[in-house]
Amino acid sequence: MSEKFDVIIIGAGPGGYVAAIRCAQLGLKTACVDDWVNRENKPSPGGTCLNVGCIPSKAMIESSEQYQKAQHELAAHGVNVRGVTLDLTTLLARKDKVVHELTSGVAALLAANKVTFIHGRGKLLADRVVEVGKKTFTADNIIIATGSSPSELKGVAYDGKTIVDSTGALEFDSVPKRLCVIGVGVIGLELGSVWRRLGSEVFMLKSSHSFLPTADQSIAKEALKTFGEQGLDIRMGAKIKKVTVVRGKALIEYDDEKGSHKEKVDKIVVAVGRRPNTHNLIADDAGIAIDARGFITVDDKCRTAVDGIYAIGDVVRGPMLAHKASEEGVMVAELIKGEFACIDLETIPSVIYTAPEIAWVGKTEQTLKQEGVDYHVGTFPFAANGRARALGETGGLIKILAHGKTDRILGVHIIGPQASETIAQAKIAMEMGASSEDIALTVFAHPTLSETLHEAALSVQERAIHAVQPKRKKS
Ligand code: FAD
Ligand code: NAI
């Protein structure tokens, strides 16, 4: 007989394992099925995020920034270091250690919460039965949290050595002399910047002409300028014609409006988006709808058309972000328990971990224009912030968009130092329905980067102190 649970979760990424812990906290008999194995062929819960995504990429971002500082920035502080060298083996081992510590932590948390962890590939059959290998399990509720995998580019096959996806880009055993990144999205910018700082000559190709289309376009413009100055060679409107690998090098041929181009590189990283993991996951008679792009169809509460079956995270609509997956996991656990729960997909914060970082929450100025919303803008540059000056990181700005009549904050957009941390303040303010005046009336510690947020709010009120305040045109 199949073992029966209150809830079975398929997938132990930030969506699945968080849902499992919350279900267990709520007293539900919970199982979590996951098939991830690490290089030692051992189960490694934590999904893309912990194993090959958020965590290893941020570990490498940090190491590469330290290397860059030691090489180029410490001297300005009067700290002279000579003979700075890169030990890539140690850098990668440190990254692997961070991953191992966190994935072990997830396994320990699941065990401590008495979640039954089932290692293997799960398939959803009809009548809420989950098949894992030769065994079957049943549950009153099932949460699908199987995440996503790198999309493939037609005609550019991954070979795991010369042409790699984002996972391969976390594992190069030497610094490529020339690196081409296809795709100028979040992964391309973060990992392209890592290898540039570690010494690669990097150029990036993208098919369209839009740069970071979901970001506020004034911030995107600033970012494009800054990355160019740093030496990231971003080429837009590039149509890839052919990629061949000869004796360990790749030859890439592409067309753009200037003509046809041929480039020889040591490695190619393809990062052109991710696709949901739904292939061979659900039996046809299980009643779950999958759209043309492979996403499981759900409503705003992550419910599928079948009672008691939910789907969360990268496998459903909305931004492919770890914190979005986790919050959906918590919401679904609470709904299963019969509690009220909801999530506002409009105010999920986004962060791009470049240097400087880019972060935003809420609406962009271009969206407000499209929607015909009456809004006011306040901006403040980090160049006029004392802490940013002391850090030596003066590029960028904070921009606040507030409703023209109610002053309620509609969006906050940052490019600058530690934007990933400051955006949380904006998110809290928006969650509480704050106005820009609420932030303007708040006392911020001095000197902090957060004072830039304060000044941007003062600027919406036309009274920033540390910059000449332009007056709004009266309409
Ligand atoms: P996943 O994390 O993909 O987990 C799904 C799990 O389900 C996996 O363990 C998978 O093996 C398992 N699984 C799949 N099918 C089955 C099956 N049939 N049976 C059993 N198990 C199955 N997001 C951020 O918010 N911040 C970042 O900084 C960030 N950086 C990233 C960097 C990189 C390089 C990449 C690739 C992604 C990054 N992301 C980041 C995105 C983030 O990793 C994903 O949004 C997040 O992991 C999605 O969580 P999830 O739980 O939906 O799925
Ligand atoms: P993306 O959607 O961010 O960017 C894809 C890029 O590929 C775009 O620039 C697009 O124009 C380009 N592209 C698409 N087709 C192309 C083609 N045929 N030729 C050339 N260029 C092409 O996807 P990416 O970078 O792969 O990341 C996937 C997801 O992972 C992101 O959407 C994000 O949700 C998540 N992620 C989040 C991070 C964070 O929160 N900091 C970090 C890394 C990933």
Side-chain angles (χ1 to χ4, degrees), residues 153 183-187 190 206-207 271-274 320-321 351 353:
L153 193 57
V184 188
V186 197
I187 294 181
E190 289 188 4
K206 99 189 280 285
S207 45
V272 291
R274 294 177 62 82
M320 286 183 161
L321 296 172
V351 178
Y353 293 83

Side-chain angles (χ1 to χ4, degrees), residues 27-192:
L28 299 164
K29 186 182 174 199
T30 307
C32 186
V33 184
D34 190 84
D35 65 353
W36 200 287
V37 286
N38 61 18
R39 258 183 259 135
E40 286 83 48
N41 215 25
K42 299 229 168 78
S44 187
T48 305
C49 169
L50 269 66
N51 287 288
V52 295
C54 323
I55 299 302
S57 61
K58 269 74 235 178
M60 290 177 72
I61 284 168
E62 183 59 29
S63 299
S64 64
E65 286 182 3
Q66 297 287 354
Y67 180 55
Q68 160 132 337
K69 279 194 181 118
Q71 276 185 313
H72 305 295
E73 293 164 29
L74 289 182
H77 293 261
V79 180
N80 294 312
V81 282
R82 288 201 182 81
V84 177
T85 57
L86 176 70
D87 175 356
L88 186 60
T89 310
T90 300
L91 185 155
L92 295 177
R94 175 186 175 277
K95 177 252 316 176
D96 290 342
K97 184 164 174 273
V98 173
V99 168
H100 178 70
E101 284 163 356
L102 289 173
T103 53
S104 311
V106 169
L109 279 173
L110 290 174
N113 282 282
K114 302 202 168 39
V115 172
T116 303
F117 182 72
I118 302 166
H119 181 67
R121 197 173 164 73
K123 182 164 181 174
L124 178 68
L125 309 180
D127 302 323
R128 294 192 215 102
V129 174
V130 175
E131 178 188 73
V132 186
K134 291 200 172 88
K135 290 191 176 162
T136 54
F137 304 88
T138 61
D140 293 331
N141 299 279
I142 288 169
I143 306 174
I144 303 169
T146 48
S148 64
S149 303
S151 298
E152 278 153 35
L153 193 57
K154 222 169 143 217
V156 187
Y158 295 117
D159 66 4
K161 272 185 93 170
T162 311
I163 305 174
V164 300
D165 59 16
S166 58
T167 302
L170 299 167
E171 292 172 349
F172 293 148
D173 54 9
S174 63
V175 178
K177 214 159 165 301
R178 284 201 92 206
L179 172 67
C180 171
V181 182
I182 303 180
V184 188
V186 197
I187 294 181
L189 288 169
E190 289 188 4
L191 295 181

Side-chain angles (χ1 to χ4, degrees), residues 395-411:
L397 71 150
I398 298 187
K399 169 172 175 178
I400 297 181
L401 300 162
H403 195 279
K405 295 212 168 55
T406 65
D407 190 36
R408 189 177 176 139
I409 301 167
L410 303 173

